[in-house]
Amino acid sequence: MSILNKKIAVIGLGYVGLPLAVEFGKKYEVIGFDINQPRVKELKSGTDSTLEVSNAELADTNLTFSNNVEDLKSANVYIVTVPTPINEHKQPDLTPLIKASEMLGTVINQDDIIIYESTVYPGATEEECIPVVEKASGLKFNQNFFAGYSPERINPGDKEHRVTNILKVTSGSTPAIAEMVDQLYKSIIIAGTHKASSIKVAEAAKVIENTQRDVNIALINELSIIFNKLNIDTLEVLEAAGTKWNFLPFRPGLVGGHCIGVDPYYLTHKAQTVGYHPEMILAGRRLNDGMGNYVVSQLVKQMLKKRIQVEGAKVLVMGLTFKENCPDLRNTKVVDIVSELKEYNIKVDITDPWCLSEEAQHEYDLTLINPEQNSYDAVILAVAHNEFKELGVENIRKLGKKNHVLYDLKYLLPKNEVDMRL
């Protein structure tokens, strides 16, 4: 099957969809679709608030933006990059994916291909999404339309690992479609592709990539708790162990974001439906999800040691995004620290040069401030933004009162210049 005459529609223009649409737009006619009208308007004006794509890159591509479903009817390849979050019970929430599938069922035609990139559990594409498309379209899967799965590997804020230089896993619902999907991605991915034997294999590969990282970070977080009780500096231990060639360079910390803190729950959900209750994966999740509370408990102990009144104290949290040098707030675990601090009747101020104030307000009902000097009983360095590094310890210390605690979660500052490290 030829890829030369393909017109591509990318559904969802967030951190994953937009960079992909821009790259495909350099070689194909591409429609970038999103139900978020302000987002479409912003992109039409030539600006990307996620900072994943520059204004020049947006201008230099054969890409049109739309929130009108009718515009999708001219496409013949649909790539779905909508969010797949978890709900309040830590169960997969496939609502955006199901709604996207319903919508595509109203626009697809004979021989069209739907490629899913959203993270799902093994089997979700063919068991959950495809029946929805069939019902809405009246077409028969693998007779009238086809499917593929190519898991996203976007790392928000990473300017080194971009769409084109990250190797891409591909798959298709028939051998011929698998080859077509592989060739389509291979036409833009410089790093090359890996064609999986089935859609389920590709889906499983995606969820274990981040589950593996989650479990490894959980181990390091547990070790940091042990070393803290033993009065040993965790970073010094990790640096010493890291001199061995095969020691993995993980660091303790908060595990948030759209992937690592979410994907394991997709895999454990599927495992439980087939009668297996995962132990290691869920233990790692519990440990990582509890790190916000652990950080606050350690801070409170240190405040008491310095005879700082905890109730009514003022604490500055530096950083709200889920990672450094990136405006992405999705599933940030800094909010766990904020919530736990408030349980102690502590007044919390938050500052973040990368975060949009409106988004912080909308997502978490939090207000960002510009901190004043000599104001805080404690300062928590929660995110390793370059701006905080450039401030240096002297200027950060000036934000605190004469007697205060400086807690460095990210090893931004020298050990002897802070009161606590994770």
Side-chain angles (χ1 to χ4, degrees):
M1 299 178 71
S2 173
I3 62 172
L4 297 177
N5 299 318
K6 296 302 179 188
K7 182 172 182 180
I8 300 168
V10 177
I11 314 302
L13 298 174
Y15 285 87
V16 174
L18 181 63
L20 188 70
V22 167
E23 291 302 327
F24 272 122
K26 294 175 181 178
K27 292 198 173 187
Y28 305 91
E29 188 178 352
V30 177
I31 305 165
F33 178 89
D34 203 295
I35 59 173
N36 185 337
Q37 190 169 356
R39 174 65 168 162
V40 171
K41 184 178 179 181
E42 165 192 288
L43 293 172
K44 281 182 175 180
S45 74
T47 319
D48 170 30
S49 60
T50 69
L51 306 181
E52 291 300 303
V53 175
S54 69
N55 293 1
E57 287 174 310
L58 275 178
D60 187 30
T61 182
N62 184 23
L63 173 60
T64 58
F65 299 106
S66 175
N67 63 331
N68 185 349
V69 177
E70 290 297 308
D71 292 338
L72 297 175
K73 291 183 175 179
S74 60
N76 46 40
V77 174
Y78 301 89
I79 302 178
V80 180
T81 63
V82 299
T84 43
I86 53 175
N87 62 24
E88 66 273 19
H89 305 297
K90 301 190 186 301
Q91 294 292 312
D93 180 3
L94 297 180
T95 304
L97 205 57
I98 297 302
K99 287 186 175 179
S101 299
E102 287 175 346
M103 179 188 72
L104 291 179
T106 68
V107 298
I108 63 167
N109 295 300
Q110 182 75 25
D111 295 329
D112 285 355
I113 302 169
I114 302 175
I115 304 170
Y116 291 90
E117 287 214 2
S118 306
T119 300
V120 291
Y121 50 77
T125 297
E126 292 155 298
E127 296 165 11
E128 304 291 344
C129 300
I130 295 305
V132 171
V133 177
E134 284 186 314
K135 183 178 179 181
S137 66
L139 301 177
K140 189 71 176 171
F141 179 49
N142 278 343
Q143 292 181 22
N144 310 121
F145 76 97
F146 304 89
Y149 184 80
S150 181
E152 60 89 1
R153 280 177 165 171
I154 293 296
N155 188 24
D158 190 337
K159 300 308 178 187
E160 180 181 349
H161 300 97
R162 308 294 301 275
V163 174
T164 57
N165 59 18
I166 301 173
L167 195 141
K168 200 87 164 73
V169 174
T170 67
S171 64
S173 55
T174 70
I177 293 299
E179 179 62 20
M180 198 287 299
V181 170
D182 192 65
Q183 291 300 321
L184 184 67
Y185 279 102
K186 196 172 284 184
S187 69
I188 66 163
I189 304 295
I190 298 168
T193 60
H194 174 91
K195 185 168 64 173
S197 62
S198 69
I199 287 176
K200 282 185 179 180
V201 167
E203 291 169 328
K206 169 58 181 173
V207 287
I208 72 162
E209 287 173 15
N210 288 312
T211 299
Q212 182 188 65
R213 284 184 57 78
D214 192 43
V215 170
N216 275 296
I217 296 169
L219 171 62
I220 301 301
N221 276 335
E222 187 164 63
L223 291 174
S224 74
I225 294 170
I226 295 169
F227 294 144
N228 179 268
K229 290 181 177 295
L230 296 174
N231 198 28
I232 302 173
D233 186 82
T234 301
L235 182 61
E236 291 183 6
V237 175
L238 294 176
E239 287 175 340
T243 60
K244 190 181 181 198
W245 71 92
N246 60 353
F247 186 83
L248 300 176
F250 288 96
R251 294 289 183 265
L254 306 174
V255 184
H258 70 300
C259 282
I260 300 178
V262 172
D263 293 2
Y265 289 120
Y266 275 76
L267 184 56
T268 56
H269 167 80
K270 185 62 176 179
Q272 287 164 344
T273 66
V274 293
Y276 180 77
H277 183 74
E279 296 184 30
M280 182 181 290
I281 297 170
L282 287 175
R285 277 284 73 237
R286 285 192 297 273
L287 205 148
N288 285 340
D289 278 346
M291 286 306 290
N293 289 359
Y294 173 75
V295 164
V296 174
S297 71
Q298 293 303 105
L299 175 69
V300 168
K301 288 177 185 177
Q302 188 65 24
M303 291 172 71
L304 292 173
K305 284 180 183 178
K306 297 189 88 169
R307 301 187 184 281
I308 297 171
Q309 174 70 34
V310 173
E311 186 171 2
K314 283 185 69 177
V315 172
L316 176 66
V317 175
M318 299 183 71
L320 180 60
T321 60
F322 94 88
K323 66 181 292 188
E324 66 276 3
N325 307 321
C326 172
D328 195 349
L329 281 178
R330 289 174 296 174
N331 194 34
T332 174
K333 290 302 177 180
V334 179
V335 297
D336 292 353
I337 293 176
V338 174
S339 298
E340 185 68 8
L341 286 169
K342 290 180 178 178
E343 289 292 315
Y344 286 89
N345 291 324
I346 291 172
K347 184 183 185 306
V348 185
D349 282 349
I350 308 164
T351 185
D352 193 313
W354 282 83
C355 181
L356 295 174
S357 297
E358 312 83 64
E359 193 173 351
Q361 190 71 48
H362 178 265
E363 293 295 325
Y364 300 108
D365 195 25
L366 295 174
T367 303
L368 300 181
I369 58 94
N370 290 317
E372 296 182 357
Q373 292 186 2
N374 306 313
S375 298
Y376 299 100
D377 297 290
V379 177
I380 302 176
L381 274 167
V383 185
H385 292 316
N386 286 340
E387 289 82 351
F388 299 156
K389 291 180 186 177
E390 291 164 5
L391 268 179
V393 66
E394 187 177 340
N395 288 319
I396 293 172
R397 283 284 193 188
K398 286 179 180 177
L399 298 170
K401 297 175 182 177
K402 185 176 181 180
N403 184 28
H404 69 273
V405 175
L406 176 54
Y407 194 172
D408 184 2
L409 303 187
K410 303 301 292 185
Y411 305 111
L412 276 183
L413 305 173
K415 174 188 174 183
N416 61 349
E417 295 184 338
V418 301
D419 298 298
M420 305 177 67
R421 301 206 295 189
L422 189 57

